[in-house]
Every structure is written in structure tokens, then in C-alpha cells.
């Protein structure tokens, strides 16, 4: 499905992005209940060779207001006696008596579930906060778990800044070389882990953690790519699946180009919606005519390919960096004011606003380091999950179709579909057809003008899952639950609290 490098990154739901860029200072973080007692493991039967992982003793410790532990899992589930890796797990205790664990994941792949758990716990309904301990397990290779290490900060700067729309054979060769060099760096710095960060392996990790937390069923809230992870778990372990919510769903059946085309359509809808909104506000940097404004933005991005603008410090705003700088604010309608301010600066020759947004997207720090490896993990995971690897000739045959669908995003996303062409690793544990056969009802949430995971993908996933139930939000932005739509919030909360499934899509 998703491919690197542009097409992959644009589907990421960074922790906080889908939550209105919610950021906490430590003093502002939500309080949690003291005295949380870790549950006993379930003691269930497991596959031969994995017993020690399901029976390991956990050493719990306070981590701020939460409780944290380390869990050991095999790097390769086909070789459980071989090399291992560590997962970091954080539990945000319920405000009340608790009694159930709700596992969460923000997407990516590569977003930190630990960071997301804190934010999610502060935003769910009060009744849900009374019942659920919110669990964040950073996936293998991600966040506080043993990280996948590839490029250093300076080298990744170059990777992000590269031309996303290579125009000539030299630029196209460099595009492929960048992917090859990223893979080589991952293998050199992370060894076997680079070939074992697939979605199926993360789903198997979730089952180990579920059992160690004493839960017979996995209750789950997954956003964006987290919907694919949840659907994978429900397919592998339907009898162990509890109440599952998949928000901002992806369609796992799409090949590389059709997945990229879905995103192209979604982002074009989003930018047109933004341009119309901007024109209504008055003093829009793109002008009063939304169609003309979209054309102006298209021309601006293309001009950066020839003449980058001054950005932050001594860094230049390239077309590649600006691409992410425009994409990030489109995830959330609450960020459109910022996008207008950044575009006003950029059209006056100052690229600092768009570069700031790009840096926020990738969690780039002021010292040039990166607080997250999402921009690299996302390629490793998506390419391991991929079954088709388009080559450059395939892009040439598709690029006109993509540009017609979106003059702004189409060309870059068409090239992004070939982002796994030089990836050397393949998964020994390929993803099954995701149907969740035998699992209880699963809510699948889709937003009509979601830029990153278009509404059509939610419709498709709900149909593919045997027990899928589509819940529609009519609106803008990425994901639905924390969008401020009370109809959506009530529907999800009732489901999490007592398993209530609507008789039909409420179309909120």
C-alpha cells in the first residue's frame, strides 16, 4: 500500500497532528490516578517457542504520571530463540477505578504511541477516562522502543530536501540512490531489525503485551496507519480482539499507484477547501478566487525547484521541504490560519514559516537532530509491507494522470509510488488479506474531506472487514474522533463503554 518517500510521509499521523497540534508542557499534562496496580498475565496457551515472551516478568516503574515497563520480543518470530528487541510500554491510569486497557496508536507508521496515549487520554470522554487505562506501546523500531537507526540528522536533512519531482535522468537517478542509501544506513546501524519492522510483526508484539497486561481481549483505537495495524491484529487474532475503533482508515488492498492516487485526490480536495476558506477570510495570500489561488500555489512550489528561498538559519526552502510545509497544516482545519501566514511570508520571499511546518512534521530540533525517526521508519515499514515495487518506467506512464488529478501534489505523489523500488529487504511474514473474520464489530471512521486517508478508503476497509461498521464524519481534516464533532464522539464513547454499535451509519 503506502510507498516512500513523499507518498509514505504524507499519510503519517504524527502524535498531535490529528489532535489539533496539541502539545503539552510537563506541568500541563493530564493528571493520572496514583496507585495503579499492574494486572496479572492471562496465562493463555501460545505457540511453541514463544512461551517465555508471554510469561516474562515485567518491572514496572513510574514515568512521570504514568507507569512504564520494558517488554522483550523476538526480532524474528520465526526464530524465537534468536536475537531480541525491546518495546517500551506506558500506561496512563484511568481517572476512576479503571478495569480495562485501551491500546492506542497514532499512525505513521512511526508515530509514538506513548506520546499519543497521553494526548488521547486527555481528550476522550469523561466516562471513558473513568473506565480505561490508556496503553501506548511504541512499535518496534519506534520512539522509546529500541529504535531503527538509519541516517543521522544532517544526512536526513538532505533526504527531506531532495527534489520530490525529478525532472531529468540525473535527478531521477539521485532519487533512487537516496532510497538505496537510506536502506544501507538502516542495515548498517540497526542490523536484522531493519528487515523486521513489518506491520504483522508489530501486531504480534501487541498480542504479547496484551497478554502480559492481563487482558483477554485487545481493545484498540488506531488512527491513520493505526487502522491498518488494528485490522491486521483483528485478522491474525480475531478471538482476542475486543472493542476496536479504526479512525482515518486506509485501504490495504490498493497497489502503490492507486494508494498514491487516493492521497492525491484527498490532498487536492483539502487544498481546494483551504483556498475557498482562505478567500472567504479576506486578505488571503492566494487571492480572492480559490481556483486562481490553487494555481498560484502550484506555480510557487514549481518555482522553488529552480530557486529555493531563504528558510531558517542558513537552510534553504526547497520544493521538497515546502511540499511538507504545505501538507502539514492541511491535516487540521485549525491550522489553516498558520498556513495562510506561512504562505504570505513565502510569497514575499521568506520561507521560514513553511520550513518551520516541515520541521514540525519530522520533529526536527533546533540543534539539527530529530526527536522522532518517523520519516525513516515509515519507509522501512511500508516497503516491508509492500508486495509491488514500481520502477521509474512505471512512473513515467502514470505521472500525467496524477498531474491531472492534482497539479500541486500529483507529480510528487506519483514519484513517491516508486519509493520502494530500491528497497532491498522483503518480509518473511507477509500481511494476510485483512478481513478480520471472526472478530466482533469494528467501527471504521472516515472523514469526507480527509487529505491523507481519503473517505473512500474508510468505505473500502469497512466493506473488507467482516464485522466492519462505517461511521461517516462530514468535514475537513485528518481523522474524526477528536475533531470536535459531538456526534462522532458520542458514537465512539458508547461503543467503548458498552459495545453499542449503531444500527446504521449516523453520518455525523
Amino acid at each position: 500500500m503506502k510507498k516512500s518517500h513523499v507518498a509514505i510521509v504524507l499519510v503519517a499521523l504524527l502524535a498531535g497532528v490529528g489532535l489539533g497540534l496539541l502539545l503539552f508542557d510537563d506541568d500541563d499534562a493530564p493528571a493520572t490516578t496514583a496507585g495503579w496496580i499492574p494486572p496479572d498475565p492471562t496465562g493463555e496457551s501460545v505457540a511453541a517457542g514463544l512461551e517465555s515472551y508471554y510469561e516474562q516478568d515485567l518491572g514496572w516503574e513510574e514515568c512521570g504520571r504514568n507507569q512504564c515497563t520494558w517488554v522483550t520480543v523476538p526480532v524474528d518470530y520465526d526464530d524465537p530463540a534468536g536475537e531480541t528487541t525491546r518495546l517500551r510500554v506506558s500506561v496512563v491510569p484511568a481517572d476512576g477505578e479503571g478495569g480495562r486497557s485501551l491500546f492506542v496508536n497514532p499512525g505513521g507508521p512511526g508515530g509514538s504511541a506513548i506520546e499519543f496515549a497521553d494526548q488521547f487520554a486527555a481528550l476522550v470522554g469523561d466516562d471513558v477516562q473513568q473506565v480505561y487505562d490508556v496503553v501506548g506501546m511504541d512499535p518496534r523500531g519506534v520512539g522509546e522502543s529500541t529504535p531503527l537507526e538509519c541516517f543521522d540528522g544532517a544526512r536526513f536533512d538532505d533526504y527531506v530536501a531532495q527534489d520530490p519531482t525529478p525532472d531529468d535522468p540525473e535527478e531521477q537517478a539521485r532519487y533512487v540512490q537516496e532510497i538505496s542509501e537510506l536502506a544501507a544506513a538502516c542495515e548498517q546501524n540497526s542490523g536484522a531489525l531493519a528487515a523486521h519492522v513489518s506491520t504483522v510483526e508489530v501486531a504480534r508484539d501487541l498480542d504479547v503485551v496484551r497478554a502480559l497486561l492481563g487482558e483477554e481481549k485487545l481493545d484498540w483505537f488506531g488512527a491513520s496507519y493505526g487502522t491498518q495495524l488494528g485490522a491486521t491484529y483483528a485478522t491474525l487474532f480475531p478471538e482476542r480482539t475486543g472493542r476496536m475503533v479504526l479512525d482515518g482508515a486506509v485501504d490495504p488492498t490498493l497497489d502503490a499507484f492507486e494508494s498514491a492516487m487516493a492521497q492525491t485526490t484527498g490532498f487536492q480536495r483539502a487544498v481546494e477547501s483551504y483556498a475557498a476558506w482562505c478567500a472567504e477570510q479576506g486578505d488571503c495570500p492566494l487571492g480572492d478566487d480559490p481556483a486562481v489561488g490553487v494555481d498560484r500555489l502550484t506555480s510557487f512550489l514549481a518555482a522553488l525547484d529552480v530557486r529555493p528561498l531563504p528558510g531558517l538559519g542558513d537552510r534553504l526552502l526547497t520544493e521538497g521541504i515546502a511540499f511538507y510545509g504545505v501538507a502539514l497544516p492541511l491535516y487540521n482545519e485549525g491550522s489553516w490560519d498558520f498556513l495562510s501566514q506561512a504562505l504570505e511570508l513565502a510569497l514575499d520571499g521568506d520561507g521560514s514559516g513553511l520550513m518551520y511546518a516541515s520541521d514540525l512534521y519530522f520533529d526536527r530540533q533546533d540543534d539539527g537532530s530529530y526527536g522522532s525517526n518517523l520519516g525513516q521508519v515509515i519507509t522501512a515499514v511500508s516497503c516491508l509491507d509492500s508486495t509491488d515495487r514500481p520502477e521509474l518506467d512505471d512512473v513515467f506512464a502514470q505521472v500525467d494522470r496524477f498531474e491531472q488529478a492534482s497539479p500541486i501534489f500529483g507529480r510528487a505523489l506519483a514519484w513517491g509510488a516508486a519509493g520502494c523500488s530500491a528497497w532491498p529487504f522483503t518480509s518473511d511474514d507477509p500481511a494476510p488479506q485483512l478481513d478480520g473474520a471472526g472478530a466482533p464489530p469494528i467501527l471504521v471512521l472516515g472523514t469526507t474531506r480527509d487529505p491523507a486517508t481519503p473517505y473512500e478508503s474508510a468505505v473500502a476497509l469497512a466493506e473488507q472487514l467482516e464485522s466492519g461498521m462505517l461511521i461517516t464524519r462530514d468535514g475537513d481534516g485528518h481523522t474524526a474522533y477528536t475533531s470536535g464533532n459531538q456526534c462522532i464522539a458520542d458514537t465512539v464513547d458508547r461503543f467503548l463503554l458498552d459495545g453499542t454499535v449503531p444500527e446504521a451509519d449516523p453520518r455525523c
Side-chain angles (χ1 to χ4, degrees):
M1 53 160 298
K2 299 174 293 294
K3 304 295 181 282
S4 74
H5 110 279
V6 171
I8 289 175
V9 172
L10 286 181
V11 297
L13 172 60
L14 294 176
V17 171
L19 302 174
L21 298 179
L22 174 67
L23 299 174
F24 288 125
D25 293 325
D26 186 62
D27 291 339
D28 297 328
T32 58
T33 304
W36 179 78
I37 301 174
D40 292 328
T42 61
E44 62 199 32
S45 60
V46 297
L50 297 178
E51 295 90 348
S52 63
Y53 297 105
Y54 278 81
E55 297 168 0
Q56 62 189 287
D57 293 327
L58 301 182
W60 291 94
E61 60 189 8
E62 292 185 359
C63 49
R65 296 169 173 84
N66 301 343
Q67 296 290 324
C68 291
T69 192
W70 292 100
V71 173
T72 300
V73 293
V75 168
D76 183 353
Y77 275 90
D78 290 335
D79 183 20
E83 188 177 345
T84 62
T85 189
R86 293 207 304 171
L87 308 173
R88 188 63 165 170
V89 178
S90 176
V91 178
V92 185
D95 287 344
E97 295 183 1
R100 296 186 72 137
S101 297
L102 179 63
F103 287 71
V104 298
N105 183 278
S112 170
I114 288 177
E115 293 180 5
F116 184 67
D118 279 325
Q119 299 174 2
F120 185 87
L123 293 176
V124 297
D126 292 342
D127 291 340
V128 177
Q129 291 181 25
Q130 296 292 313
V131 172
Y132 281 98
D133 303 323
V134 180
V135 181
M137 180 201 83
D138 274 353
R140 53 174 59 207
V142 173
E144 295 185 37
S145 295
T146 302
L148 182 70
E149 297 179 347
C150 305
F151 285 154
D152 62 19
R155 183 65 183 85
F156 190 61
D157 277 349
D158 293 338
Y159 186 78
V160 173
Q162 71 169 305
D163 187 353
T165 57
D167 303 311
D168 56 51
E170 182 178 351
E171 290 182 348
Q172 292 156 8
R174 179 60 186 167
Y175 186 90
V176 175
Q177 184 178 350
E178 285 287 295
I179 301 163
S180 299
E181 291 181 4
L182 176 63
C186 293
E187 183 174 32
Q188 179 178 351
N189 296 322
S190 294
L193 185 62
H196 290 282
V197 290
S198 71
T199 299
V200 167
E201 287 162 318
V202 176
R204 295 189 188 282
D205 294 341
L206 279 170
D207 196 59
V208 173
V209 176
R210 172 203 58 77
L212 292 173
L213 264 63
E215 298 291 352
E216 294 183 3
K217 307 279 188 178
L218 182 87
D219 293 331
W220 176 260
F221 183 98
S224 197
Y225 160 81
T227 65
Q228 180 183 347
L229 178 54
T232 300
Y233 184 91
T235 300
L236 294 176
F237 306 104
E239 74 286 355
R240 300 175 186 174
T241 298
R243 295 169 188 169
M244 180 168 285
V245 179
L246 307 180
D247 187 3
V250 301
D251 181 355
T253 66
L254 298 180
D255 64 20
F257 280 116
E258 293 315 308
S259 178
M261 178 55 75
Q263 288 186 305
T264 299
T265 302
F267 272 95
Q268 185 64 23
R269 285 178 189 155
V271 77
E272 289 173 357
S273 187
Y274 159 74
W277 170 88
C278 186
E280 291 175 357
Q281 307 308 302
D283 297 324
C284 177
L286 298 178
D288 297 333
D289 185 325
V292 173
V294 171
D295 290 343
R296 188 179 185 192
L297 181 55
T298 303
S299 299
F300 166 74
L301 290 172
L304 291 175
D305 190 22
V306 178
R307 182 174 297 177
L309 293 178
L312 294 170
D314 59 356
R315 298 160 62 210
L316 293 176
L317 180 76
T318 65
E319 181 186 9
I321 295 173
F323 193 92
Y324 300 118
V326 171
L328 176 65
L330 292 176
Y331 274 75
N332 190 301
E333 191 175 1
S335 301
W336 287 1
D337 271 326
F338 169 82
L339 178 56
S340 293
Q341 295 168 23
L343 288 175
E344 184 174 6
L345 287 172
L347 292 168
D348 284 338
D350 179 353
S352 59
L354 291 178
M355 180 170 280
Y356 174 82
S358 176
D359 287 353
L360 182 62
Y361 210 134
F362 291 105
D363 200 14
R364 188 185 191 277
Q365 309 298 300
D366 291 340
D367 63 2
S369 64
Y370 285 81
S372 166
N373 64 354
L374 180 144
Q376 303 181 63
V377 169
I378 204 166
T379 300
V381 174
S382 296
C383 291
L384 282 173
D385 287 350
S386 173
T387 56
D388 60 315
R389 306 240 174 138
E391 302 292 340
L392 300 192
D393 288 346
D394 301 315
V395 176
F396 300 148
Q398 294 278 348
V399 70
D400 287 346
R401 178 169 73 102
F402 275 73
E403 285 190 307
Q404 289 176 6
S406 175
I408 293 179
F409 299 105
R411 187 175 182 85
L413 287 167
W415 275 100
C420 293
S421 58
W423 200 255
F425 312 119
T426 57
S427 177
D428 296 330
D429 203 356
Q433 179 179 343
L434 302 185
D435 57 14
I442 297 172
L443 296 193
V444 181
L445 278 55
T447 295
T448 55
R449 293 181 296 281
D450 189 318
T453 53
Y455 176 69
E456 293 84 352
S457 295
V459 174
L461 184 60
E463 291 177 349
Q464 292 157 25
L465 294 174
E466 184 179 88
S467 58
M469 174 68 191
L470 178 67
I471 307 294
T472 299
R473 169 187 167 239
D474 183 11
D476 295 286
H478 187 34
T479 71
Y481 180 56
T482 58
S483 65
N485 185 310
Q486 195 60 46
C487 169
I488 290 287
D490 290 345
T491 299
V492 173
D493 288 353
R494 284 193 297 268
F495 176 72
L496 291 175
L497 288 168
D498 54 30
T500 299
V501 179
E503 293 183 2
D505 181 359
R507 300 197 64 85
C508 298

